[in-house]
Amino acid sequence: MAPRSCADTLAMRTKPGICQRKKRFASEEEALRVAEKAPFPLRPYRCELCGHIHLTGRTKGMKLPAFEIARRRAAKAVRRENAEA
């Protein structure tokens, strides 16, 4: 099964003013590179207004990028180790 892209996820409802203020990415890969460097979870989505890729912090119930899943697993392992010590 091919990995899901942001185009396969449910569309976000972005308001025109928000779309204009957000950075636009030409590709999902470019957006993921930026999201991976962020200190908080971000995920890409395709904007219905401009057709470009934006990043959002809304992740509840959404598929997270692989690097974010790995980041959360590592943090959970550290918490477990600290609790056992």
Side-chain angles (χ1 to χ4, degrees):
M1 184 164 106
R4 285 176 46 178
S5 69
C6 62
D8 297 332
T9 61
L10 294 174
M12 298 276 300
R13 302 277 183 213
T14 305
K15 294 180 181 177
I18 301 295
C19 174
Q20 291 172 353
R21 288 192 305 256
K22 285 191 168 190
K23 181 167 175 59
R24 296 175 181 183
F25 298 95
S27 70
E28 184 177 2
E29 292 76 23
E30 181 184 357
L32 285 170
R33 281 194 298 273
V34 171
E36 190 169 11
K37 294 176 185 174
F40 44 84
L42 292 173
R43 69 170 191 82
Y45 71 96
R46 184 166 303 279
C47 179
E48 289 183 332
L49 297 175
C50 69
H52 287 91
I53 307 291
H54 295 304
L55 291 172
T56 183
R58 293 183 179 189
T59 58
K60 186 174 182 178
M62 300 291 185
K63 182 171 173 36
L64 294 172
F67 66 83
E68 183 60 33
I69 293 169
R71 184 187 293 174
R72 290 180 181 200
R73 285 182 182 154
K76 189 175 182 178
V78 168
R79 285 193 304 268
R80 273 194 214 134
E81 287 176 8
N82 290 340
E84 291 174 359

